[in-house]
Amino acid sequence: MTGSASENPFRPLFQLIDVIVEQYLAFFIQPFLKVHEKIYSDLNQVLRAALDNNKDRIPAWFTANFITYVRTILVIPCLVLLSWGQMVLPSIIVVAVDFGDFLDGVVARYWVDVRAEASAKVTTDSKDSDDDSFEVVSSRSSRRISSWQVSHQNKSYGGFIDAVCDKAFVVPCWIFLLSRVPGTGMAFVQYVVLFCLILAETASGSIRFRAYYSSGGVPAPTVKGLDFSSSAVKADHVGKAKQTFEMVGTALFILPFFFKYIGLVLLMFAVPLAYESVRRKVNSRVIYVDGTVKNFDHKTIKFWTQAKGMGSKLVVGVQGTTSQNSEMVLNACSSSRVDEVMSEAPSKIDLYFLDKNKIDYIVLYVGQTGLEMDDDVLNANRCLGIGEDGSARPVKAKGSQHKE
């Protein structure tokens, strides 16, 4: 696939690192995840059964976010104990925090099921505004409706705060542990491993913050029938393995004697995973949509926001001469979701156009007309259509809905 990033002298080095990391994922992490998945699946069943059997005793405040806040605050006693020269108690706290990270996921799914069960029993004559469909239903009284961005941030807050709080706990611990490196064996290796993890997780947290607060308010479509990544390990699985190696490795690294070096080895295993996690978050992917629309309304904004969520850069093409469609060009330029606008864009897209302009994918919506695709583009799976179910799928060559 054609990359959109400008060439730089370090590109060959990073390409080599990517190849090495991919081999590491395929031959080491993938087998490890099979064992990891089995253990955590059994643990999930035990914890979920405990929650279901004690449903009447579980208070409403015992939520996933509550667990996340508590395990994050534990960084304070952990650092205080480390500063006092303690080793065992801080190590236990790290293990408890890692368990809390797993527990909040179980609790989150539990409350989702509880609310779904409760809502299924309730029948009402009226319906409030549906944040997913963006339909506004009259209630015969004045009321406030949250914006797309606020609604989306509220829904995704749990996942965002969970990921950020993980880093808010472990990064300060690593920074403190740097002070214990002088005078110990393999000091250089310890410094390199800790610095790499600190930089990677800080970068990952910064990317999370930016993505959360710059969200357009519409979730990106689920892509079916095409995997953007050619990796043997999915992104969420990389995160699970990384979390395990980082937390268990940190807990052992705190302890003295040979435990410290076992922990160092586990932290070394986590470095390629931390790198891969950041790489996938910053991976460049240019998306192209046709912006030749006469009615610039919320449906257009929603579609462009969905398309932008599928990549890192959105290019909107406007067909016809600039003098004829200057208003369309200015409308596209005014959208915060759009990175570039291409005036006098072609009405038929071929591979030469995509490669020349370093565009990775074209995105269409159901029933879109006015833009024709060359069969080579469709056969290369570089044209995706967003269906009525909100999922994006590769458009096949026989699809005639893209022709005028």
Side-chain angles (χ1 to χ4, degrees):
M1 193 63 61
T2 304
S4 60
S6 59
E7 293 294 335
N8 61 77
F10 297 102
R11 188 175 183 83
L13 175 61
F14 284 111
Q15 288 177 336
L16 176 61
I17 294 175
D18 293 344
V19 172
I20 296 174
V21 171
E22 182 57 38
Q23 295 300 311
Y24 171 72
L25 294 176
F27 293 102
F28 180 77
I29 297 302
Q30 200 168 24
F32 165 79
L33 284 171
K34 294 180 180 179
V35 179
H36 183 278
E37 192 68 24
K38 179 64 172 63
I39 295 174
Y40 277 79
S41 177
D42 294 341
L43 182 59
N44 178 77
Q45 293 179 7
V46 172
L47 293 176
R48 181 56 191 264
L51 292 173
D52 292 335
N53 294 334
N54 297 275
K55 184 177 298 186
D56 297 335
R57 301 178 182 177
I58 299 176
W61 51 261
F62 187 71
T63 63
N65 287 346
F66 171 78
I67 297 173
T68 299
Y69 297 144
V70 170
R71 63 187 176 87
T72 305
I73 293 174
L74 288 176
V75 69
I76 298 176
C78 185
L79 292 176
V80 170
L81 289 170
L82 285 172
S83 67
W84 290 348
Q86 298 293 317
M87 297 181 182
V88 177
L89 287 179
S91 180
I92 294 175
I93 291 176
V94 174
V95 174
V97 169
D98 185 36
F99 175 75
D101 181 54
F102 176 77
L103 178 62
D104 64 18
V106 178
V107 172
R109 291 186 291 272
Y110 165 79
W111 282 115
V112 168
D113 292 342
V114 169
R115 295 189 186 99
E117 181 180 345
S119 62
K121 298 179 181 179
V122 178
T123 57
T124 57
D125 296 331
S126 62
K127 178 184 176 183
D128 291 334
S129 174
D130 186 346
D131 290 329
D132 291 328
S133 62
F134 305 111
E135 295 176 356
V136 180
V137 181
S138 175
S139 60
R140 298 182 181 180
S141 63
S142 300
R143 61 196 177 96
R144 295 181 179 181
I145 301 175
S146 298
S147 67
W148 292 358
Q149 184 168 7
V150 171
S151 296
H152 181 61
Q153 287 181 346
N154 290 339
K155 291 178 181 180
S156 59
Y157 176 77
F160 161 73
I161 202 66
D162 177 66
V164 171
C165 285
D166 288 340
K167 300 164 189 8
F169 176 88
V170 74
V171 170
C173 291
W174 290 336
I175 293 175
F176 181 88
L177 290 173
L178 285 171
S179 64
R180 288 191 170 184
V181 172
T184 60
M186 302 178 66
F188 176 76
V189 176
Q190 294 182 55
Y191 277 126
V192 171
V193 170
L194 290 175
F195 271 118
C196 286
L197 289 174
I198 290 170
L199 292 174
E201 293 300 343
T202 302
S204 180
S206 300
I207 295 170
R208 288 268 190 175
F209 263 99
R210 184 180 184 277
Y212 179 76
Y213 286 105
S214 63
S215 167
V218 180
T222 301
V223 180
K224 298 181 178 179
L226 177 69
D227 189 358
F228 282 145
S229 174
S230 59
S231 175
V233 181
K234 295 182 179 180
D236 57 337
H237 292 166
V238 170
K240 291 178 181 178
K242 176 176 69 70
Q243 175 79 3
T244 299
F245 284 135
E246 287 180 348
M247 299 303 287
V248 176
T250 301
L252 293 175
F253 188 76
I254 292 173
L255 298 174
F257 310 121
F258 66 92
F259 291 108
K260 178 183 183 70
Y261 296 101
I262 295 176
L264 178 61
V265 171
L266 293 179
L267 291 177
M268 290 172 63
F269 288 160
V271 171
L273 298 175
Y275 167 83
E276 179 68 7
S277 179
V278 174
R279 186 190 70 82
R280 295 191 184 191
K281 288 183 177 68
V282 299
N283 192 30
S284 177
R285 185 183 303 122
V286 180
I287 304 295
Y288 178 90
V289 299
D290 181 40
T292 314
V293 291
K294 294 182 179 179
N295 298 321
F296 184 70
D297 55 12
H298 68 279
K299 295 180 180 179
T300 301
I301 296 175
K302 178 184 177 182
F303 170 61
W304 288 0
T305 305
Q306 287 178 310
K308 177 60 182 288
M310 298 170 65
S312 59
K313 184 176 183 179
L314 178 65
V315 179
V316 175
V318 179
Q319 302 175 32
T321 62
T322 303
S323 58
Q324 293 175 332
N325 295 328
S326 60
E327 193 69 21
M328 296 181 187
V329 173
L330 293 176
N331 285 339
C333 290
S334 68
S335 173
S336 61
R337 298 292 91 198
V338 178
D339 296 290
E340 291 182 2
V341 178
M342 182 179 294
S343 61
E344 301 185 15
S347 59
K348 183 174 182 178
I349 306 298
D350 55 23
L351 287 177
Y352 175 77
F353 171 81
L354 297 182
D355 294 338
K356 177 183 177 182
N357 292 282
K358 297 183 178 180
I359 296 170
D360 295 309
Y361 295 95
I362 299 174
V363 176
L364 308 172
Y365 58 84
V366 172
Q368 180 172 349
T369 60
L371 186 64
E372 189 176 353
M373 293 292 141
D374 188 86
D375 285 347
D376 290 342
V377 174
L378 303 180
N379 292 332
N381 285 336
R382 295 180 68 174
C383 180
L384 302 173
I386 300 178
E388 295 179 353
D389 61 351
S391 299
R393 298 175 177 84
V395 178
K396 303 303 180 182
K398 62 181 180 180
S400 61
Q401 70 269 24
H402 311 295
K403 297 185 180 182
E404 202 168 1

